[in-house]
């Protein structure tokens, strides 16, 4: 023990670890799900509008009171439809005083597992644009308290948006306990290996109490600290008395309340390195009566502070920013976390939240289709506005059409939206909003084509986006044509499919030259045929093809069908194996005629053969809580190993000069008439003169799955002879790849080894890789060496009272039709192919149909106008033009000016700003991933966009557009790697609009054109 004098000296020093008297930051919040159990309209009526109305009123009554606002969809609905002018003035004042703080600032709190990075950015940009235009403010902290697991893409996203700190909560229960014990709930996260410290962010993981106030109070059987009770649906009670209102604070119980709160603060303080304690006050749907909330908490906080010597704690109302500012000023050195994520997520041994990776597959598919159509519509409209300033289309109306889809795609990214964890009526709300937006954007694109072709009034343009069911109508006396738009900034060669009513068809381009095409019987209908047209289109351009029904030498190739005998796979003769080859320039695929199943694939360039079989299996799950763990919208809890579903397989091969389609039908037994499962595998042969590299190297599979029996989870398992050591790789939100080694657990090992696949998954051995590319999210796993299985569909019912009360049982009786592209080859080859292929699947060309009776053939000179502009927009293959749009926000890109005009009240409704285009460019590769494609790329933005018009000004901005990157100074947190604290500056820009894009960067610009 040191001598007494030394002891005294020690006690005078400030505590080295930032400890001392505990300080609790009481953060008032309401977690408002944009969907989930109730629709947005129901929530607005029952409680959400009242949150903002009463919170604003109460904050005005007490200078010490604070509140954080999160989801912008609810706030904007309140602001536009409910708030009075007085309330709007008060919001401005509270924001200036720092007592109301917007955190995250996106439309929703997006899911992190099954969303695409483009859609995360969209919903964040949508909310940030509103906040900056309306208030001149830019959120700087995250509050991701409820998504089910945490992705490593999110910290990068928030760093790029200018955030200073990130906050998450739901991570594995056993991991959280460990982090708590070792005071490791806070760290600096380098979510991207390539961007590393440049886009790192301080991250706080909430402790075991998560985001809701602990409600147990020893002196009452009611919950504590929830003085307004719980929200009532459908109508707020007339008398203001809500269920389960906590005991009001009185002289007799205030000491007991204080003791309970202080005890909880002290318990939590032991899990963190500083004496600052984040104490969330609120939960789901709270603060709809803020008056009773604050009047009780005021008394309690005052009491604790008056007795702080006795309690050893001081308390204060705070925002998230106040808390992080306190931590930052402690100047501690923090550990670095690498790019490993926190997925999957389990809440206890038999509760693995890996079911939602697949739940409501149809909604997941429509959400992605909508996102892809929006991407196409945005660039189409942007080009149109630049090229046709005197257009006949009302630009404001067009922007509203695009905004309806921006809003719908943003909304469904909510963590109870695209996840499939909502009630049926909320799923219908998302679907209706998406379909309405899709309809609007299709209509807009069709009217732009119509306008640019100066079509006669009797011509009709109707649009459909690669939907086989909305083909050309029966009339064949007028010319049918299809307009095909390529939304990617690369030249593409691919097939588009059109439904036609005759076998004998011919296809011609704008010059009247024949176009390679193939027509064959349709998979989906006996009365129509599928016409496959080979299209070659340059970046961000469209082409017009006319389709004529006739019998002549110009006619399209006809696919001939051969049906093979159905095979009983349980009794297949292994000795006399007969193999049926299907070959194109890149692959030879063999089918085993004893079973009608796939046998192997040979990559022809290297002559490498991989044994490969595919089968459908089902996991049977329990629906009775009395009998054990259950599966539901969220959870996957299989009873045992998956069981093969079919005993017999039918085979039909449709072959033509351009394409071979292998149709496999899986029957439960030899006598069954109907099938629940089918696979349609397509391989393409590309004629001379076309660039067929991507097209030839993909084996395209479309599945038909359903309707399932109850409590079945359907997977497609692909088994190979690759020695993968059960190591799987999956993508993180379509942005980067995560390594997924198989882990053995005491319980629930199957479910805890499922991971989200948003766009990509692969397995490999030392030489060969098998890649899967998807157009919607799925759960994926490797349950055996050389295996990869994809969960395609789930249909569940259980008797858990909570699930029944909220109608969350997932009785999904639909048939789903997902598509997966397979790519097999060396690592070097697949590296070159998979990023561009994944985007080619995500952004397939947009097909619009029309019937025009034209008097005379077009002349070649007029032909040039058929591209939306004179010259195409193309970027190198390692870059992706991620955004080209006209956001329409009216804010000034000069911050001082913007703040001035907001404070001067000049931000009144005006016309949207059409002169500013938003451009994002993303580097697709990691550092060191490929010797050529991982290099930085120099881009001249003026020449890139030359086809749209003359660029007069380029400004580099933060990810969501609200910061000038030259003025963006994020907090730099001290780490062992970087011992000095300070501000981090993001990127270097050049004056003359030449930028160098480094691996994994996403660069955002405002672009202004001449004459706008």
């Amino acid at each position: 023990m040191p001598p007494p004098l030394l002891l005294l000296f020690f006690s005078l020093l400030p505590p080295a670890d930032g400890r001392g008297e505990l300080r609790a930051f009481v953060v008032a919040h309401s977690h408002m799900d944009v969907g989930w159990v109730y629709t947005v309209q129901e929530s607005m009526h029952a409680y959400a509008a009242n949150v903002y109305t009463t919170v604003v009123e109460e904050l005005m009554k007490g200078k010490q009171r604070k509140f954080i606002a999160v989801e912008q969809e609810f706030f904007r609905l309140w602001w536009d439809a409910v708030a009075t002018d007085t309330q709007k003035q008060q919001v401005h004042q509270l924001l200036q005083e720092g007592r109301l703080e917007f955190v995250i600032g996106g439309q929703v709190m997006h899911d992190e597992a099954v969303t695409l990075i483009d859609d995360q950015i969209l919903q964040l940009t949508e909310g940030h644009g509103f906040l900056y235009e309306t208030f001149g403010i830019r959120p700087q902290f995250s509050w991701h308290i409820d998504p089910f697991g945490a992705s490593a893409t999110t910290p990068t996203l928030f760093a790029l948006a200018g955030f200073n700190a990130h906050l998450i909560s739901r991570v594995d229960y056993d991991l959280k306990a460990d982090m708590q014990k070792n005071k490791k709930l806070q760290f600096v996260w380098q979510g991207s290996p390539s961007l590393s410290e440049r886009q790192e962010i301080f991250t706080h993981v909430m402790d075991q109490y998560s985001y809701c106030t602990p409600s147990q109070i020893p002196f009452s059987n009611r919950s504590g600290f929830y003085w307004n009770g719980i929200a009532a649906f459908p109508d707020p009670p007339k008398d203001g008395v809500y269920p389960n209102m906590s005991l009001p604070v009185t002289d007799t119980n205030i000491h007991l309340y204080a003791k309970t709160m202080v005890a909880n603060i002290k318990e939590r303080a032991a899990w963190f390195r500083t004496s600052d304690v984040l104490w969330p006050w609120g939960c789901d749907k709270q603060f709809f009566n803020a008056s009773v909330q604050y009047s009780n908490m005021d008394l309690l906080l005052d009491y604790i502070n008056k007795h702080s010597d006795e309690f050893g704690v001081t308390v204060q109302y705070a925002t998230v920013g106040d808390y992080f500012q306190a931590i930052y000023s402690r100047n501690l050195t923090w550990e670095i976390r690498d790019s490993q994520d926190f997925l999957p997520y389990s809440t206890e041994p038999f509760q693995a939240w890996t079911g939602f990776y697949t739940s409501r597959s149809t909604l997941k598919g429509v959400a992605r289709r909508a996102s892809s159509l929006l991407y196409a519509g945005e660039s189409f409209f942007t080009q149109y506005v630049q090229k046709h300033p005197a257009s006949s289309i009302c630009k404001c109306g067009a922007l509203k059409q695009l905004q309806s889809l921006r809003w719908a795609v943003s909304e469904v990214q909510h963590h109870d939206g695209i996840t499939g964890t909502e009630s049926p009526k909320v799923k219908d709300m998302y679907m209706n909003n998406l379909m309405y937006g899709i309809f609007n954007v299709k209509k807009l694109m069709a009217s732009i084509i119509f306008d640019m072709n100066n079509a006669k009034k009797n011509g009709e343009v109707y649009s459909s986006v690669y939907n086989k069911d909305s083909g050309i109508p029966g009339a064949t006396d007028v010319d049918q044509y299809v307009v095909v738009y390529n939304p990617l900034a690369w030249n593409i060669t691919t097939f588009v499919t059109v439904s036609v009513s005759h076998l004998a068809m011919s296809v011609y381009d704008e010059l009247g030259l024949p176009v390679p095409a193939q027509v064959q019987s349709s998979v989906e209908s006996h009365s129509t045929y599928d016409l496959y047209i080979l299209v070659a289109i340059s970046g961000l351009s469209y082409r017009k093809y006319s389709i004529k029904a006739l019998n002549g030498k110009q006619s399209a190739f006809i696919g001939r069908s051969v049906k093979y005998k159905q095979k009983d796979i349980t009794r297949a003769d292994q000795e006399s194996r007969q193999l049926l080859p299907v070959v194109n320039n890149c692959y030879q695929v063999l089918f085993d005629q004893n079973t009608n199943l796939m046998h192997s694939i040979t990559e022809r360039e290297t002559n490498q053969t991989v044994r490969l079989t595919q089968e459908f299996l089902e996991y049977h799950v329990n629906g009775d809580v009395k009998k054990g763990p259950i599966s539901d919208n969220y959870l996957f809890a299989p009873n045992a190993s998956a069981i093969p579903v079919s005993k017999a397989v039918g085979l039909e091969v449709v072959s033509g000069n351009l394409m071979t389609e292998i149709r496999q039908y899986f029957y439960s037994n030899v006598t069954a008439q109907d099938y629940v499962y089918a696979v349609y595998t397509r391989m393409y042969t590309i004629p001379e003169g076309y660039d067929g590299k991507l097209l030839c190297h993909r084996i395209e599979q479309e599945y038909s799955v359903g309707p399932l029996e109850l409590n079945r989870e359907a997977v497609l398992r692909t088994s190979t002879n690759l020695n993968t050591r059960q190591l799987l790789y999956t993508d993180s939100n379509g942005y980067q790849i995560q390594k997924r080694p198989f882990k053995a657990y005491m319980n629930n090992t199957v479910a805890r080894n499922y991971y989200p696949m948003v766009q990509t998954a692969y397995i490999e051995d030392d030489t060969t890789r098998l890649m899967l590319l998807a157009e919607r999210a799925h759960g994926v796993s490797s349950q055996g060496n050389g295996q990869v299985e994809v969960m395609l569909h789930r249909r569940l019912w259980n008797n858990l009272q909570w699930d029944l009360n909220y109608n969350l049982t997932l009785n999904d009786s639909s048939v789903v039709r997902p598509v997966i592209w397979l790519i097999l080859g060396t690592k070097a080859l697949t590296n070159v192919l998979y990023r561009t292929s994944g985007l080619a699947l995500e952004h397939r060309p947009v097909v619009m149909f029309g019937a025009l009776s034209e008097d005379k053939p077009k002349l070649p000179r007029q032909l040039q106008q058929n591209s939306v502009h004179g010259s195409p927009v193309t970027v190198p293959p390692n870059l992706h033009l991620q955004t080209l749009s006209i956001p329409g926000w009216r804010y000034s890109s000069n911050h001082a000016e913007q703040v001035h005009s907001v404070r001067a009240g000049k931000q009144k409704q005006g016309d949207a700003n059409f002169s500013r285009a938003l451009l994002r460019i993303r580097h697709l590769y990691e550092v060191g991933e490929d010797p050529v494609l991982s290099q930085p790329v120099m881009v001249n933005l003026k020449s890139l966009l030359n086809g749209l018009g003359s660029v007069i000004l380029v400004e580099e901005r933060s990810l969501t557009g609200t910061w000038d990157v030259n003025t963006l100074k994020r907090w730099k947190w001290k780490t062992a790697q970087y011992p000095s604290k300070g501000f981090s500056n993001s990127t270097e820009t050049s004056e003359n609009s030449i930028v160098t894009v480094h691996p994994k960067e996403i660069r955002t610009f405002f672009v202004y054109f001449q004459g706008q």
Side-chain angles (χ1 to χ4, degrees), residues 533-599:
I533 305 170
L534 183 64
V535 298
I537 311 176
S538 44
L540 266 57
S541 303
Y542 75 87
R543 293 194 59 185
K544 193 164 133 188
Y545 300 91
S546 58
I547 301 174
K548 297 177 165 61
L550 76 168
N551 298 309
K553 60 181 188 305
Q554 299 283 21
S555 159
F557 299 116
I558 293 179
R560 303 289 175 197
S561 161
V562 178
K563 287 195 171 74
Y564 293 85
K565 198 165 161 270
Q566 188 195 59
K567 291 294 158 74
D568 179 345
I569 56 176
T570 57
R571 309 171 58 177
D573 176 2
Q574 293 305 319
E575 297 308 303
S576 59
R577 177 166 277 154
Q578 286 221 291
L579 299 175
L580 168 76
V582 178
V583 184
N584 71 1
N585 297 339
C586 298
Y587 298 116
Q588 170 178 278
V589 180
L590 296 179
F591 287 83
D592 183 339
Q593 295 198 268
N594 284 336
T595 59
N596 287 339
L597 296 173
M598 199 181 279
H599 170 271

Side-chain angles (χ1 to χ4, degrees), residues 5 19 123 130 180 199 246 282 285 464 473 542 758 817 864 869 933 947 986 991 1004:
L5 190 67
R19 299 197 75 82
Q123 72 85 21
F130 163 76
Q180 244 173 224
Q199 300 301 343
S246 300
K285 309 179 189 64
S464 165
Y542 75 87
V758 178
R817 303 293 299 257
Q864 295 311 310
H869 48 74
L933 296 167
S986 49
E991 291 303 300
T1004 305

Side-chain angles (χ1 to χ4, degrees), residues 3-204:
L5 190 67
L6 203 58
L7 244 169
L8 181 69
F9 175 65
F10 276 153
S11 63
L12 293 175
L13 283 175
D17 62 351
R19 299 197 75 82
E21 184 179 66
L22 296 182
R23 191 161 55 136
F25 292 77
V26 177
V27 176
H29 76 100
S30 179
H31 180 62
M32 299 158 80
D33 283 302
V34 183
W36 189 36
V37 176
Y38 302 103
T39 66
V40 168
Q41 292 69 26
E42 288 174 320
S43 298
M44 279 299 286
H45 174 73
Y47 83 95
N50 288 338
V51 171
Y52 291 113
T53 301
T54 66
V55 162
V56 168
E57 185 183 339
E58 289 308 308
L59 292 180
M60 295 307 292
K61 289 180 183 168
K63 279 282 180 233
Q64 77 289 9
R65 296 172 172 179
K66 296 188 176 187
F67 189 81
I68 60 166
V70 189
E71 300 83 2
Q72 285 311 298
E73 177 158 335
F74 281 127
F75 181 80
R76 289 173 74 174
L77 289 169
W78 176 79
W79 184 260
D80 290 339
V82 180
T84 62
D85 286 348
T86 307
Q87 286 165 335
K88 289 183 177 183
Q89 277 314 114
Q90 291 170 337
V91 168
H92 278 281
Q93 183 188 329
L94 292 166
L95 286 167
Q96 280 177 42
E97 292 172 4
R99 299 199 296 113
L100 176 64
E101 179 177 79
F102 286 110
V103 292
I104 312 178
Q107 286 290 93
V108 298
M109 185 183 294
H110 71 252
D111 167 68
E112 298 194 34
V114 299
T115 47
L116 200 57
I117 186 169
D118 307 56
D119 301 326
Q120 299 175 354
I121 293 171
L122 170 78
Q123 72 85 21
L124 205 57
T125 304
E126 196 56 24
H128 284 191
F130 163 76
L131 287 173
Y132 194 52
E133 181 172 276
T134 314
F135 305 113
I137 63 140
R138 305 175 282 206
Q140 286 172 42
F141 304 98
S142 114
W143 180 254
H144 256 224
I145 55 177
D146 202 31
F148 321 134
S151 154
T153 302
T154 314
T156 305
L157 189 82
F158 288 156
L160 289 167
F163 287 17
N164 286 319
H166 177 37
L167 183 148
I168 60 177
S169 181
R170 291 185 181 268
V171 303
D172 252 348
Y173 68 98
D174 41 6
L175 180 64
K176 183 176 277 199
D178 195 56
M179 291 167 85
Q180 244 173 224
K181 196 173 74 195
N182 297 307
K183 298 192 183 186
K184 289 189 187 296
L185 290 166
Q186 294 170 321
F187 46 84
V188 170
W189 197 353
Q190 295 181 350
S192 159
S194 296
L195 301 175
S196 65
E197 77 281 353
R198 285 183 299 145
Q199 300 301 343
E200 68 189 15
I201 193 166
F202 181 80
T203 304
H204 171 103

